Short mmCIF file of all heavy atoms in Angstrom, two decimals:
data_model
loop_
_atom_site.label_atom_id
_atom_site.label_comp_id
_atom_site.label_asym_id
_atom_site.label_seq_id
_atom_site.Cartn_x
_atom_site.Cartn_y
_atom_site.Cartn_z
N PHE A 1032 -9.58 -13.04 6.56
CA PHE A 1032 -9.58 -14.48 6.25
C PHE A 1032 -10.20 -15.25 7.41
O PHE A 1032 -10.95 -16.20 7.19
CB PHE A 1032 -8.16 -14.97 5.95
CG PHE A 1032 -8.13 -16.43 5.73
CD1 PHE A 1032 -8.55 -17.01 4.58
CD2 PHE A 1032 -7.65 -17.29 6.74
CE1 PHE A 1032 -8.52 -18.38 4.36
CE2 PHE A 1032 -7.65 -18.66 6.56
CZ PHE A 1032 -8.05 -19.19 5.37
N ARG A 1036 -12.95 -16.87 5.40
CA ARG A 1036 -12.35 -18.05 4.78
C ARG A 1036 -12.62 -18.15 3.29
O ARG A 1036 -12.81 -19.20 2.73
CB ARG A 1036 -12.73 -19.32 5.50
CG ARG A 1036 -12.33 -19.36 6.91
CD ARG A 1036 -12.74 -20.63 7.56
NE ARG A 1036 -13.02 -20.36 8.99
CZ ARG A 1036 -13.50 -21.22 9.82
NH1 ARG A 1036 -13.76 -22.45 9.45
NH2 ARG A 1036 -13.73 -20.90 11.05
N LEU A 1037 -12.58 -16.97 2.66
CA LEU A 1037 -12.77 -16.94 1.18
C LEU A 1037 -11.42 -17.04 0.48
O LEU A 1037 -10.36 -16.67 1.05
CB LEU A 1037 -13.44 -15.64 0.81
CG LEU A 1037 -14.87 -15.39 1.25
CD1 LEU A 1037 -15.33 -14.01 0.89
CD2 LEU A 1037 -15.79 -16.44 0.68
N LEU A 1038 -11.44 -17.55 -0.78
CA LEU A 1038 -10.22 -17.70 -1.54
C LEU A 1038 -9.50 -16.37 -1.74
O LEU A 1038 -8.26 -16.29 -1.62
CB LEU A 1038 -10.55 -18.36 -2.85
CG LEU A 1038 -9.37 -18.60 -3.81
CD1 LEU A 1038 -8.38 -19.53 -3.18
CD2 LEU A 1038 -9.83 -19.10 -5.14
N ALA A 1041 -7.68 -15.43 1.28
CA ALA A 1041 -6.54 -16.32 1.46
C ALA A 1041 -5.37 -15.86 0.59
O ALA A 1041 -4.19 -15.84 1.02
CB ALA A 1041 -6.87 -17.77 1.16
N VAL A 1042 -5.67 -15.39 -0.64
CA VAL A 1042 -4.64 -14.90 -1.54
C VAL A 1042 -4.01 -13.64 -1.00
O VAL A 1042 -2.79 -13.48 -0.94
CB VAL A 1042 -5.23 -14.67 -2.97
CG1 VAL A 1042 -4.28 -13.90 -3.83
CG2 VAL A 1042 -5.60 -16.03 -3.60
N LEU A 1044 -3.99 -12.66 2.16
CA LEU A 1044 -3.24 -13.02 3.35
C LEU A 1044 -1.86 -13.61 3.02
O LEU A 1044 -0.86 -13.25 3.59
CB LEU A 1044 -4.05 -14.00 4.20
CG LEU A 1044 -3.37 -14.57 5.46
CD1 LEU A 1044 -3.01 -13.40 6.42
CD2 LEU A 1044 -4.28 -15.54 6.12
N GLY A 1045 -1.86 -14.49 2.00
CA GLY A 1045 -0.60 -15.09 1.58
C GLY A 1045 0.34 -14.04 1.00
O GLY A 1045 1.55 -14.11 1.26
N ALA A 1046 -0.16 -13.11 0.21
CA ALA A 1046 0.67 -12.10 -0.39
C ALA A 1046 1.22 -11.16 0.72
O ALA A 1046 2.44 -10.82 0.68
CB ALA A 1046 -0.13 -11.29 -1.39
N TYR A 1048 1.72 -11.94 3.81
CA TYR A 1048 2.66 -12.74 4.56
C TYR A 1048 4.00 -12.84 3.85
O TYR A 1048 5.08 -12.67 4.41
CB TYR A 1048 2.05 -14.14 4.75
CG TYR A 1048 2.93 -15.18 5.42
CD1 TYR A 1048 3.44 -14.96 6.67
CD2 TYR A 1048 3.21 -16.37 4.77
CE1 TYR A 1048 4.20 -15.94 7.30
CE2 TYR A 1048 3.97 -17.38 5.40
CZ TYR A 1048 4.48 -17.09 6.68
OH TYR A 1048 5.25 -18.07 7.25
N LEU A 1066 -0.01 -17.41 12.02
CA LEU A 1066 -0.67 -18.17 10.93
C LEU A 1066 -0.81 -19.64 11.33
O LEU A 1066 -1.90 -20.21 11.14
CB LEU A 1066 0.13 -18.05 9.63
CG LEU A 1066 -0.29 -17.02 8.66
CD1 LEU A 1066 0.60 -17.07 7.40
CD2 LEU A 1066 -1.73 -17.12 8.27
N LEU A 1067 0.24 -20.27 11.81
CA LEU A 1067 0.16 -21.66 12.15
C LEU A 1067 -0.88 -21.89 13.26
O LEU A 1067 -1.68 -22.82 13.21
CB LEU A 1067 1.55 -22.22 12.55
CG LEU A 1067 2.54 -22.34 11.43
CD1 LEU A 1067 3.87 -22.76 11.99
CD2 LEU A 1067 2.07 -23.30 10.38
N GLY A 1069 -3.48 -19.83 14.11
CA GLY A 1069 -4.79 -19.51 13.66
C GLY A 1069 -5.34 -20.50 12.63
O GLY A 1069 -6.49 -20.95 12.68
N LEU A 1070 -4.49 -20.87 11.63
CA LEU A 1070 -4.95 -21.81 10.61
C LEU A 1070 -5.15 -23.18 11.23
O LEU A 1070 -6.09 -23.92 10.84
CB LEU A 1070 -3.94 -21.87 9.44
CG LEU A 1070 -3.77 -20.62 8.63
CD1 LEU A 1070 -2.68 -20.76 7.60
CD2 LEU A 1070 -5.10 -20.15 8.00
N GLY A 1071 -4.29 -23.60 12.17
CA GLY A 1071 -4.50 -24.86 12.85
C GLY A 1071 -5.82 -24.89 13.62
O GLY A 1071 -6.55 -25.89 13.58
N LEU A 1073 -8.54 -23.02 12.95
CA LEU A 1073 -9.65 -23.04 11.99
C LEU A 1073 -9.79 -24.45 11.35
O LEU A 1073 -10.92 -24.94 11.17
CB LEU A 1073 -9.44 -21.99 10.93
CG LEU A 1073 -9.57 -20.52 11.35
CD1 LEU A 1073 -9.19 -19.62 10.21
CD2 LEU A 1073 -10.95 -20.27 11.82
N LEU A 1074 -8.67 -25.06 11.02
CA LEU A 1074 -8.72 -26.39 10.43
C LEU A 1074 -9.31 -27.40 11.41
O LEU A 1074 -10.11 -28.24 11.06
CB LEU A 1074 -7.30 -26.82 9.98
CG LEU A 1074 -7.17 -28.16 9.29
CD1 LEU A 1074 -8.01 -28.19 8.03
CD2 LEU A 1074 -5.73 -28.46 9.01
N ASP A 1077 -13.03 -26.91 11.55
CA ASP A 1077 -13.71 -27.47 10.37
C ASP A 1077 -13.73 -29.01 10.40
O ASP A 1077 -14.75 -29.63 10.06
CB ASP A 1077 -13.04 -26.98 9.10
CG ASP A 1077 -13.63 -25.68 8.65
OD1 ASP A 1077 -14.53 -25.14 9.30
OD2 ASP A 1077 -13.16 -25.15 7.59
N TRP A 1086 -10.29 -34.22 1.52
CA TRP A 1086 -9.49 -33.23 0.77
C TRP A 1086 -10.41 -32.54 -0.20
O TRP A 1086 -10.80 -33.03 -1.21
CB TRP A 1086 -8.33 -33.92 0.03
CG TRP A 1086 -7.50 -32.96 -0.69
CD1 TRP A 1086 -7.52 -32.67 -2.00
CD2 TRP A 1086 -6.54 -32.05 -0.12
NE1 TRP A 1086 -6.61 -31.69 -2.32
CE2 TRP A 1086 -6.02 -31.26 -1.16
CE3 TRP A 1086 -6.11 -31.83 1.15
CZ2 TRP A 1086 -5.07 -30.30 -0.92
CZ3 TRP A 1086 -5.14 -30.85 1.38
CH2 TRP A 1086 -4.64 -30.09 0.35
N ASP A 1087 -10.74 -31.33 0.12
CA ASP A 1087 -11.61 -30.54 -0.77
C ASP A 1087 -11.08 -29.12 -0.75
O ASP A 1087 -10.03 -28.81 -0.22
CB ASP A 1087 -13.09 -30.62 -0.36
CG ASP A 1087 -13.35 -30.04 1.01
OD1 ASP A 1087 -12.46 -29.54 1.69
OD2 ASP A 1087 -14.52 -30.16 1.44
N SER A 1088 -11.78 -28.24 -1.40
CA SER A 1088 -11.34 -26.86 -1.54
C SER A 1088 -11.20 -26.14 -0.23
O SER A 1088 -10.38 -25.23 -0.11
CB SER A 1088 -12.23 -26.10 -2.50
OG SER A 1088 -13.56 -26.03 -1.97
N ARG A 1089 -11.95 -26.54 0.79
CA ARG A 1089 -11.84 -25.85 2.07
C ARG A 1089 -10.51 -26.13 2.73
O ARG A 1089 -9.91 -25.29 3.35
CB ARG A 1089 -12.97 -26.26 3.00
CG ARG A 1089 -14.28 -25.61 2.65
CD ARG A 1089 -15.30 -25.94 3.65
NE ARG A 1089 -15.58 -27.36 3.56
CZ ARG A 1089 -16.35 -28.03 4.41
NH1 ARG A 1089 -16.95 -27.38 5.37
NH2 ARG A 1089 -16.58 -29.31 4.25
N LEU A 1090 -9.98 -27.33 2.58
CA LEU A 1090 -8.64 -27.66 3.14
C LEU A 1090 -7.54 -26.94 2.32
O LEU A 1090 -6.53 -26.58 2.92
CB LEU A 1090 -8.42 -29.15 3.18
CG LEU A 1090 -9.35 -29.89 4.12
CD1 LEU A 1090 -9.06 -31.40 4.04
CD2 LEU A 1090 -9.21 -29.41 5.52
N LEU A 1091 -7.75 -26.76 1.06
CA LEU A 1091 -6.78 -26.06 0.24
C LEU A 1091 -6.67 -24.57 0.67
O LEU A 1091 -5.58 -23.99 0.64
CB LEU A 1091 -7.14 -26.15 -1.22
CG LEU A 1091 -6.21 -25.47 -2.21
CD1 LEU A 1091 -4.84 -26.12 -2.18
CD2 LEU A 1091 -6.80 -25.51 -3.60
N ILE A 1092 -7.77 -24.01 1.15
CA ILE A 1092 -7.77 -22.62 1.59
C ILE A 1092 -6.75 -22.43 2.73
O ILE A 1092 -6.14 -21.37 2.83
CB ILE A 1092 -9.22 -22.23 2.09
CG1 ILE A 1092 -10.13 -22.08 0.89
CG2 ILE A 1092 -9.22 -20.98 2.89
CD1 ILE A 1092 -9.90 -20.88 0.04
N TYR A 1093 -6.60 -23.40 3.58
CA TYR A 1093 -5.71 -23.28 4.70
C TYR A 1093 -4.23 -23.35 4.33
O TYR A 1093 -3.38 -22.74 4.94
CB TYR A 1093 -5.98 -24.32 5.77
CG TYR A 1093 -7.37 -24.23 6.31
CD1 TYR A 1093 -8.30 -25.17 6.09
CD2 TYR A 1093 -7.77 -23.09 7.02
CE1 TYR A 1093 -9.58 -25.09 6.58
CE2 TYR A 1093 -9.08 -22.93 7.53
CZ TYR A 1093 -9.96 -23.94 7.24
OH TYR A 1093 -11.21 -23.77 7.74
N ALA A 1094 -3.94 -24.04 3.26
CA ALA A 1094 -2.54 -24.16 2.79
C ALA A 1094 -2.16 -22.99 1.91
O ALA A 1094 -0.97 -22.65 1.83
CB ALA A 1094 -2.40 -25.44 2.02
N LEU A 1095 -3.10 -22.32 1.30
CA LEU A 1095 -2.78 -21.26 0.35
C LEU A 1095 -2.01 -20.07 0.94
O LEU A 1095 -1.01 -19.70 0.34
CB LEU A 1095 -4.09 -20.76 -0.33
CG LEU A 1095 -3.92 -19.80 -1.51
CD1 LEU A 1095 -3.15 -20.47 -2.61
CD2 LEU A 1095 -5.28 -19.38 -1.99
N PRO A 1096 -2.39 -19.51 2.10
CA PRO A 1096 -1.59 -18.40 2.62
C PRO A 1096 -0.16 -18.77 2.91
O PRO A 1096 0.78 -18.03 2.64
CB PRO A 1096 -2.34 -18.02 3.93
CG PRO A 1096 -3.72 -18.47 3.74
CD PRO A 1096 -3.59 -19.75 2.86
N LEU A 1097 0.07 -19.99 3.47
CA LEU A 1097 1.44 -20.41 3.77
C LEU A 1097 2.21 -20.65 2.48
O LEU A 1097 3.39 -20.30 2.38
CB LEU A 1097 1.41 -21.69 4.61
CG LEU A 1097 0.92 -21.48 6.03
CD1 LEU A 1097 0.72 -22.83 6.72
CD2 LEU A 1097 1.90 -20.64 6.84
N ALA A 1098 1.58 -21.22 1.47
CA ALA A 1098 2.27 -21.47 0.19
C ALA A 1098 2.62 -20.17 -0.50
O ALA A 1098 3.72 -20.00 -1.00
CB ALA A 1098 1.38 -22.34 -0.69
N LEU A 1099 1.66 -19.22 -0.56
CA LEU A 1099 1.97 -17.93 -1.21
C LEU A 1099 3.04 -17.16 -0.45
O LEU A 1099 3.87 -16.56 -1.09
CB LEU A 1099 0.67 -17.11 -1.31
CG LEU A 1099 -0.30 -17.48 -2.37
CD1 LEU A 1099 -1.56 -16.64 -2.28
CD2 LEU A 1099 0.32 -17.36 -3.76
N GLY A 1100 2.98 -17.22 0.83
CA GLY A 1100 4.01 -16.52 1.62
C GLY A 1100 5.38 -17.13 1.44
O GLY A 1100 6.36 -16.42 1.49
N GLY A 1101 5.46 -18.42 1.24
CA GLY A 1101 6.74 -19.06 1.04
C GLY A 1101 7.32 -18.83 -0.32
O GLY A 1101 8.55 -18.95 -0.54
N VAL A 1102 6.48 -18.50 -1.29
CA VAL A 1102 6.98 -18.22 -2.64
C VAL A 1102 7.63 -16.87 -2.63
O VAL A 1102 8.65 -16.56 -3.12
CB VAL A 1102 5.84 -18.26 -3.68
CG1 VAL A 1102 6.28 -17.82 -5.03
CG2 VAL A 1102 5.29 -19.65 -3.75
#
Side-chain angles (χ1 to χ4, degrees):
F1032 176 76
R1036 299 182 211 174
L1037 295 175
L1038 179 63
V1042 169
L1044 176 60
Y1048 176 59
L1066 264 181
L1067 290 175
L1070 294 177
L1073 291 175
L1074 182 60
D1077 273 0
W1086 181 256
D1087 62 4
S1088 62
R1089 285 186 293 174
L1090 294 178
L1091 181 64
I1092 288 288
Y1093 299 114
L1095 189 61
L1097 290 171
L1099 282 175
V1102 173

